[in-house]
Amino acid sequence: MDELVHRTVPSPNWDERKLPVSMVVLHYTEMADADTALARLTDPEAKVSAHYLISEAGEVIALVDEDKRAWHAGQSFWRGHPDINSASIGIELDHPGHALGYREFAQAQLDALVPLLARIVERHDIPRANVVGHSDVAPARKIDPGELFPWDRLAEYKLCLPRPVKLEAGDPFDNDAAFYLALERFGYDVTGGHKAVEAFQRRWRPERIDGQVDGQVRAILFQLLLDRDQGRAR
Ligand SMILES: [Zn+2]
């Protein structure tokens, strides 16, 4: 067992993968505390799980073996694939979420997440562009881990794509239909319409989440696509 894991509490909620691991999905638990979340993630009646739960104090609890399919993403989609549970490692962060009082993520929790995520990404050779939030793969249903999640910090360690700084491509799209096509090309399920735009904003422009396709949002998406296609980010 990995030395980054403090304890293992096996969850019965898993089945066999149908795809190799190529993604990581980050969540918040939206529960009062880690014990409550742990009870739910290991309850056979609940039919939910994740590979790891990280408490606010930084305890890493392994629930499902990485080679098994945990049940965390639900109905979801990324870069053409609908079975995200089969393709991903799921990490739940103990946190009250938007429902119980949205707040900054705890430092100790992030200090535990960074090395765990680094190990996972290395072990499975996961592209940075495939380290995502639950809201990225289920934009019509989910908003976790939300706009206070410090993606910038993970990006410093090259564990996810950084937010584009220089928007050298400017604003290349002049209508929403073109934007949605590009958003789908990047990976999102766009059938939820403006919900997909909100999910994109939550991840890439959290200062304003309004579902509106404005010039800055268009420029950010175009820069992300450009960087990926030029091999600067995979
Ligand atoms: Zn989630």
Side-chain angles (χ1 to χ4, degrees), residues 14-188:
W14 57 269
D15 54 10
E16 298 297 331
R17 289 190 185 279
K18 299 181 189 75
L19 295 167
V21 175
S22 61
M23 299 179 63
V24 175
V25 181
L26 301 179
H27 303 259
Y28 62 44
T29 56
E30 200 161 54
M31 297 215 149
D33 53 52
D35 287 342
T36 311
L38 186 59
R40 179 166 164 79
L41 292 167
T42 55
D43 176 4
E45 297 292 314
K47 294 189 170 17
V48 293
S49 64
H51 294 90
Y52 300 98
L53 168 66
I54 306 179
S55 77
E56 285 204 313
E59 186 186 23
V60 177
I61 304 166
L63 305 170
V64 175
D65 282 348
E66 287 188 6
D67 63 345
K68 301 302 184 191
R69 179 177 177 274
W71 302 342
H72 54 94
Q75 179 89 301
S76 50
F77 176 96
W78 189 248
R79 296 176 80 171
H81 299 289
D83 183 2
I84 302 308
N85 281 338
S86 269
S88 66
I89 301 285
I91 301 176
E92 286 279 358
L93 302 171
D94 167 33
H95 191 281
H98 288 80
L100 302 178
Y102 198 53
R103 62 184 187 217
E104 299 277 345
F105 286 77
Q107 197 58 48
Q109 187 173 47
L110 298 170
D111 289 343
L113 171 64
V114 167
L116 179 72
L117 183 58
R119 193 70 60 90
I120 291 168
V121 163
E122 187 185 9
R123 188 153 50 223
H124 301 282
D125 193 26
I126 294 171
R128 282 183 301 164
N130 282 359
V131 176
V132 299
H134 199 184
S135 56
D136 294 315
V137 300
R141 298 188 302 114
K142 296 292 178 180
I143 59 173
D144 64 311
E147 57 278 8
L148 290 180
F149 183 77
W151 293 103
D152 291 349
R153 172 125 187 248
L154 297 189
E156 282 172 24
Y157 295 97
K158 304 207 182 318
L159 294 174
C160 68
L161 291 184
R163 289 174 68 179
V165 181
K166 280 193 304 176
L167 304 178
E168 60 200 35
D171 179 0
F173 314 117
D174 61 0
N175 64 72
D176 285 6
F179 178 82
Y180 279 108
L181 271 177
L183 190 58
E184 187 169 39
R185 165 86 178 268
F186 186 61
Y188 285 82

